[in-house]
Amino acid sequence: MTTPFPFTAVVGQDDLRLALLLNAVSPAVGGVLVRGEKGTAKSTAVRALSALMPELDVVSGCRFSCDPGSPDPACPDGPHEPGAFETRPARMVELPVGASEDRLVGALDIERALAEGVKAFEPGLLADAHRGILYVDEVNLLHDHLVDLLLDAAAMGASYVEREGVSVRHASKFLLVGTMNPEEGELRPQLLDRFGLTVEVAASREPDQRVEVVRRRLAYDDDPAGFAARWAGEETAVRQRIAAARELLPRVRLGDGALRQIAATCAAFEVDGMRADIVMARTATALAAWAGRTDVLAEDVRQAALLALPHRRRRNPFDAPGLDEDRLDETLEQFSGEGDGDGGDDDPGPDGPDGPDGPGGGGGPAPDSAPDGDGGSAARPEAGEGGQPQGSGSREQAPTRAAQPFRTKVLSVPGVGEGAAGRRSRARTEHGRTTGARRPRGALTKLHLAATVLAAAPHQRARGRSGPGLVVRRDDLRQAAREGREGNLVLFVVDASGSMAARQRMGAVKGAVLSLLLDAYQRRDKVGLVTFRGASAEVALPPTSSVDAAAARLESLPTGGRTPLAAGLLRAHEVLRVERLRDPARRALVVVVTDGRATGGPEPVALAGRAARLFAADGVASVVVDCEAGPVRLGLAGRLAGELGGTAVTLQELRADSITGLVREVQGDRRAA
């Protein structure tokens, strides 16, 4: 068995260690979500926690870890008679991102259940994690149907497996700990709220601390057992302190003053629902017990707010999690002591100075007043005569702030796919409405009962049926064919050349793309961004599930130079080719944002046409956003859309109906073809 890295040997990461220890003291706090960049000891600290958890008494032979003092009366291995029990360490169960539903909740033998009436049940990870820790690394990449099962188990404290009228229930109460890298995508709001506490971690910038991290890691890799032995004393001390805090916890008093501060803080920061208040109360109580006190102090409430509220304040995926500590201190001071506690707040809103800055929240400055020689007025003319932006030569201009995003219509790719679970286009999936039946390929997961009975019925006499039961053979079983929704890849190909540099126009384009990014977040899509200007094109953002990263790259996008349209299209085609190798089942929609001009190099227009026809040959759905302006319109974007086999729309139509409303036209054009 591998010796884990000692918890007390983790360098720094004070908030992470405190959050984990508070959950060890009081599992009712509700778990921890650890957010941070790769290589910051997230997984190391979580795995080390299990060694500090108190040991459990469990019923001997029970696969569901029943407490001998109060066994679950509905335990599938029960009923349990008083008597033998055993003591073992608390388990830490890891849920792989790619786990199946049966691996998580357990598997029921449908064939034996139908033919013999026997509930032959093989427990899953939710049973293993009962009274222990359930750890999900890269929890933001977990499939939606597994997230739904986790939410149900966390809410009810039990797991249910139901297959066509045959059901099994068992207790499943666990400490949920998740780690994630926000660059790879965000969590669904429902699951995000289920985590009691959240912690942001980052690598230290202090050279001395980084040296100590490397020194300890090398020592552990050279001799794990010896390294752990050197930290055994500290580990024992922390384990004893956890046990003492657990004993003290029931005697900790949460006074009315602390409760008022908790309620006032949650109200001041406008968190949704009442779960934040409850989590803060439990966290403050655990903090007092950890400190060896029986009274909750204002400092406990403050620390609880810093751990329990940041992830509950996000209003959209572009908002950075965090808490205004000055405002927190003002609220706590206002409601300290007796006071009249009117709950008033002179602050105009919870977002402070970041509120009116647009959808990026804390996504970095991109002022409209960037100097361009005339003070950067936002009311400057968009273009000169003939639609050519004034001063749009090869000079690079500062990034333009995106316009306010808007709600988009449903975008979907035509046909029926088989991609990753999502909420956009039709797909054949393991979850969704039943559309038919088929013979199972491999293990049976979703039984189609009516089709199975119809397949077995004609053979009952030949099989010698004599009783009321139905004689079912393996060949009779039928798998339910289901149709649900999949996530797609939306690849933006954005013209950032000088002809697109007019502020009003580029701001509107960025606002539309941000709107689609919000929609992609809600529908579990992947997004990518290719830009072209000057003499080349670049992949500003490879396909990813992180809309935060896409929004940040879009906000910082500079403009200027010539229009290498062919280079942009060829680079986008290469991105799709590579992505098809990585994820062949995920279908794509390409959104080209350009005025259609192609300049630079020999025969730029002809070369762009040849590049566009590659997309048409591959059958890729596409939309061209025509950004041409001025009284004289050349129609180049419409011609490009024809080469792509897609649809073109003007920039004005874009703001009225949104890009996504055009996809229905794309579908109609492709069906007609």
Side-chain angles (χ1 to χ4, degrees):
M1 180 177 178
T2 304
T3 303
F5 192 91
F7 186 86
T8 52
V10 175
V11 179
Q13 308 297 12
D14 295 337
D15 288 343
L16 169 58
R17 292 191 293 168
L18 177 61
L20 292 172
L21 289 170
L22 292 177
N23 276 273
V25 171
S26 175
V29 166
V32 187
L33 174 64
V34 187
R35 298 165 46 95
E37 58 196 19
K38 52 187 176 293
T40 50
K42 299 188 299 293
S43 300
T44 299
V46 174
R47 293 189 174 99
L49 176 67
S50 60
L52 301 179
M53 298 290 286
E55 293 187 331
L56 301 175
D57 291 335
V58 298
V59 174
S60 298
C62 179
R63 298 174 296 168
F64 301 88
S65 302
C66 279
D67 185 348
S70 56
D72 181 6
C75 177
D77 284 356
H80 298 300
E81 297 294 333
F85 69 92
E86 60 187 60
T87 301
R88 62 164 176 78
R91 292 173 179 162
M92 193 195 73
V93 178
E94 295 195 38
L95 172 60
V97 170
S100 66
E101 179 180 341
D102 286 347
R103 184 70 186 97
L104 178 62
V105 300
L108 190 65
D109 192 329
I110 300 296
E111 187 173 356
R112 290 188 63 192
L114 285 175
E116 305 173 27
V118 176
K119 291 184 180 179
F121 181 70
E122 183 66 28
L125 296 178
L126 289 179
D128 293 341
H130 181 45
R131 304 175 67 200
I133 302 172
L134 181 61
Y135 171 48
V136 189
D137 193 14
E138 305 294 351
V139 63
N140 51 323
L141 303 182
L142 200 63
H143 288 301
D144 274 0
H145 67 283
L146 297 182
V147 170
D148 293 335
L149 293 170
L150 274 182
L151 290 175
D152 290 343
M156 297 183 294
S159 176
Y160 292 84
V161 181
E162 298 190 10
R163 299 286 170 81
E164 305 296 343
V166 180
S167 64
V168 174
R169 174 215 168 272
H170 64 83
S172 183
K173 297 179 181 179
F174 47 83
L175 171 59
L176 181 60
V177 181
T179 56
M180 60 175 283
N181 183 348
E183 294 180 356
E184 297 173 342
E186 284 294 342
L187 272 177
R188 284 173 53 185
Q190 296 93 329
L191 184 57
L192 189 64
D193 189 53
R194 287 293 179 186
F195 286 98
L197 310 179
T198 186
V199 178
E200 294 279 340
V201 297
S204 173
R205 298 298 182 259
E206 294 293 331
D208 291 343
Q209 195 171 80
R210 296 176 73 96
V211 166
E212 186 62 22
V213 170
V214 175
R215 181 180 291 118
R216 293 186 187 183
R217 186 69 210 191
L218 293 178
Y220 171 77
D221 290 341
D222 289 342
D223 183 10
F227 183 82
R230 290 196 294 274
W231 290 88
E234 288 83 349
E235 293 283 285
T236 300
V238 172
R239 191 178 298 110
Q240 292 173 347
R241 187 176 175 185
I242 291 174
R246 282 194 170 191
E247 291 183 5
L248 182 62
L249 186 65
R251 303 197 301 273
V252 174
R253 190 180 70 90
L254 183 64
D256 290 343
L259 275 174
R260 285 186 62 81
Q261 287 184 318
I262 290 170
T265 301
C266 293
F269 286 99
E270 296 185 354
V271 296
D272 296 330
M274 295 298 298
R275 183 174 283 118
D277 303 63
I278 297 171
V279 170
M280 273 191 65
R282 290 171 173 166
T283 305
T285 304
L287 280 162
W290 178 248
R293 290 184 269 102
T294 56
D295 287 309
V296 173
L297 305 181
E299 63 193 64
D300 300 324
V301 176
R302 186 182 192 278
Q303 184 63 57
L306 293 175
L307 293 172
L309 296 188
H311 62 300
R312 293 185 165 90
R313 292 192 59 250
R314 301 191 65 176
R315 290 295 181 264
N316 66 63
F318 301 148
D319 293 338
L323 214 60
D324 185 342
E325 295 193 32
D326 291 336
R327 186 174 183 193
L328 173 61
D329 291 336
E330 291 174 4
T331 303
L332 294 176
E333 178 66 25
Q334 179 182 355
F335 287 88
S336 63
E338 294 294 329
D340 58 5
D342 61 0
D345 191 354
D346 295 329
D347 197 315
D351 295 326
D354 293 335
D357 284 348
D368 285 334
S369 57
D372 257 347
D374 62 354
S377 171
R380 71 176 74 245
E382 177 182 342
E385 293 297 323
Q388 179 69 21
Q390 297 176 0
S392 62
S394 60
R395 181 172 62 90
E396 180 176 302
Q397 300 190 21
T400 304
R401 183 178 300 281
Q404 187 70 19
F406 48 84
R407 186 175 180 83
T408 65
K409 298 178 182 178
V410 178
L411 181 152
S412 61
V413 176
V416 180
E418 295 181 344
R423 292 185 177 85
R424 185 168 299 283
S425 304
R426 295 171 56 202
R428 288 179 288 272
T429 65
E430 289 294 321
H431 304 272
R433 63 186 182 90
T434 301
T435 58
R438 59 175 174 80
R439 291 182 179 273
R441 306 187 194 100
L444 178 70
T445 56
K446 297 291 184 181
L447 178 74
H448 195 295
L449 182 59
T452 299
V453 172
L454 288 174
H459 309 291
Q460 296 305 296
R461 181 175 297 178
R463 293 173 182 172
R465 172 186 169 186
S466 57
L470 188 68
V471 181
V472 179
R473 303 279 174 82
R474 174 68 185 175
D475 291 342
D476 301 327
L477 299 179
R478 294 295 182 268
Q479 176 86 17
R482 296 174 181 262
E483 183 176 298
R485 293 281 169 176
E486 67 176 0
N488 298 118
L489 167 62
V490 182
L491 181 62
F492 297 96
V493 186
V494 180
D495 184 349
S497 64
S499 63
M500 294 284 292
R503 288 188 178 277
Q504 185 178 354
R505 185 193 312 173
M506 201 62 191
V509 168
K510 287 186 176 182
V513 177
L514 281 177
S515 302
L516 280 178
L517 290 174
L518 278 170
D519 188 62
Y521 166 76
Q522 296 166 352
R523 301 185 186 282
R524 310 293 288 176
D525 291 317
K526 295 180 73 172
V527 296
L529 178 63
V530 173
T531 64
F532 57 95
R533 65 186 181 92
S536 62
E538 66 172 344
V539 181
L541 183 71
T544 176
S545 297
S546 174
V547 296
D548 292 335
R553 301 292 173 85
L554 186 70
E555 284 286 349
S556 62
L557 178 65
T559 55
R562 294 184 178 274
T563 312
L565 178 57
L569 294 175
L570 289 173
R571 181 60 63 91
H573 188 268
E574 177 65 15
V575 169
L576 292 183
R577 185 190 69 80
V578 173
E579 191 64 17
R580 277 195 293 269
L581 295 176
R582 293 175 177 168
D583 192 355
R586 189 180 293 270
R587 298 181 294 164
L589 174 80
V590 176
V591 179
V592 184
V593 184
T594 181
D595 57 9
R597 290 186 173 90
T599 59
E603 300 183 348
V605 176
L607 185 59
R610 289 197 294 271
R613 287 191 287 274
L614 294 175
F615 291 87
D618 291 342
V620 178
S622 59
V623 173
V624 178
V625 180
D626 184 359
C627 300
E628 190 175 25
V632 179
R633 301 182 61 85
L634 304 178
L636 297 176
R639 191 181 309 169
L640 174 64
E643 299 280 6
L644 286 165
T647 301
V649 61
T650 66
L651 191 60
Q652 291 76 13
E653 293 169 339
L654 170 67
R655 292 196 59 82
D657 300 325
S658 84
I659 295 175
T660 53
L662 303 173
V663 178
R664 293 192 177 95
E665 299 179 33
V666 176
Q667 297 174 2
D669 292 346
R670 291 184 62 186
R671 292 191 184 104

